[in-house]
């Protein structure tokens, strides 16, 4: 069982969330920021038992056109932290709540303005033909019920 600080978990999860929202695969982002094609997936799995070094996080932020401050927890969270370690739990598209969070962030980023089918969304999230495609379909349905998405001719629009 890997345990990390609250800020390390925040950073790892934010990188995963932002890369999913931007439609980037872990391998593709890794090769853009380093010579190791498994760098990002290593942090998102149990393979690497630490947090992103600042220079890697800076390269990720640049590659995703984000402000690096987005990848650090708010000061209030840091002040409340007592230095405890937490079990490493990373956003997973196999979890309906996490998948719904990703879909909602994609809506906020304008990904559904021109419409996306379930298959389009699965491809965008690099999950097409994989078991998580079913979870993505369920999450799209849940978000549609909240009226954040509308289904027309097999495509979801915001």
């Amino acid at each position: 069982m890997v345990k990390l600080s609250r800020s390390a978990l925040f950073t790892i999860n934010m990188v995963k969330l932002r890369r999913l929202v931007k439609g980037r695969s872990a391998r593709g982002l890794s090769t853009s920021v380093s010579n190791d094609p498994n760098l990002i997936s290593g942090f998102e799995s149990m393979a690497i038992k630490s947090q992103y070094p600042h220079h890697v996080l800076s390269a990720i932020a640049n590659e995703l056109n984000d402000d690096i401050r987005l990848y650090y927890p708010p000061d209030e969270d840091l002040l409340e932290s007592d230095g405890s370690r937490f079990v490493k739990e990373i956003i997973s598209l196999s979890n309906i709540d996490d998948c719904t969070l990703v879909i909602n962030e994609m809506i906020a980023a304008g990904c559904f303005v021109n419409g996306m089918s379930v298959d389009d969304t699965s491809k965008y999230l690099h999950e097409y033909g994989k078991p998580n495609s079913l979870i993505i379909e369920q999450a799209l349905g849940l978000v549609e019920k909240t009226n954040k998405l509308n289904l027309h001719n097999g495509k979801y629009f915001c």
Side-chain angles (χ1 to χ4, degrees), residues 28-44:
L29 183 56
S30 292
T31 57
S32 295
V33 300
S34 78
N35 294 327
D36 180 1
N38 299 313
L39 179 72
I40 303 295
S41 61
F43 281 105
E44 291 178 359

Side-chain angles (χ1 to χ4, degrees), residues 57-119:
L57 198 55
S58 179
I60 290 168
N62 285 335
E63 183 65 24
L64 297 178
N65 295 317
D66 285 332
D67 185 328
I68 194 167
R69 292 176 289 190
L70 180 66
Y71 296 95
Y72 290 104
D75 289 342
E76 302 81 43
D77 290 356
L78 293 173
L79 290 173
E80 291 175 9
S81 177
D82 63 2
S84 298
R85 299 280 183 177
F86 299 89
V87 174
K88 186 175 183 180
E89 291 184 25
I90 306 302
I91 291 173
S92 172
L93 293 175
S94 64
N95 175 309
I96 190 70
D97 293 331
D98 290 350
C99 193
T100 302
L101 171 70
V102 170
I103 299 294
N104 280 314
E105 289 294 321
M106 288 174 66
I107 291 167
C111 296
F112 292 93
V113 170
N114 296 319
M116 292 178 86
S117 67
V118 172
D119 287 349

Side-chain angles (χ1 to χ4, degrees), residues 132-143:
N132 288 345
S133 290
L134 298 172
I135 306 298
I136 292 167
E137 183 174 12
Q138 291 173 0
L140 286 167
L142 288 173
V143 174

